Amino acid sequence: MSQLAIDPIERAALANEYHIDEWLLPALNELAQREEPIGIEEARRLGWETALQIAACARKLYRVEREGGIWTRGARTQIDFTGRIRAILDIP
């Protein structure tokens, strides 16, 4: 898949709307790893249930960074949440 210059919220929303399966997990994984939380309008675009699940993944990353002593603003640990997202949202 080529990288698109589309915001991950928009990619995930388009993936859901047009059934573009290969866009969905990478976009959601990117959202779980980003530093800023999902906003209200973004949550509406994603769907509240999906937004809350992604926020839970992001919270896990925050705990890993804080408890591991590597919590430095701007330096995010790369954790692949694809498996967890797939299980939570029942994506094959």
Side-chain angles (χ1 to χ4, degrees):
M1 177 180 95
S2 64
Q3 287 292 355
L4 299 174
I6 301 174
D7 175 77
I9 295 286
E10 191 63 21
R11 266 188 284 137
L14 288 170
N16 278 329
E17 189 173 339
Y18 295 103
H19 309 288
I20 307 171
D21 296 335
E22 62 270 13
W23 286 12
L24 185 58
L25 284 173
L28 295 177
N29 194 45
E30 188 176 334
L31 288 170
Q33 293 177 8
R34 78 178 190 180
E35 192 166 321
E36 56 278 343
I38 294 172
I40 292 172
E41 288 305 317
E42 292 174 325
R44 284 187 182 126
R45 184 78 172 114
L46 282 176
W48 290 101
E49 184 176 329
T50 298
L52 288 171
Q53 296 297 343
I54 298 306
C57 290
R59 180 73 179 151
K60 179 179 179 182
L61 175 58
Y62 169 80
R63 278 196 316 269
V64 166
E65 289 177 337
R66 188 188 65 202
E67 292 169 6
I70 56 172
W71 189 45
T72 306
R73 189 152 181 81
R76 302 289 294 191
T77 301
Q78 293 299 312
I79 296 176
D80 186 358
F81 290 107
T82 303
R84 183 169 184 198
I85 293 167
R86 187 184 304 270
I88 290 170
L89 299 178
D90 196 28
I91 300 171

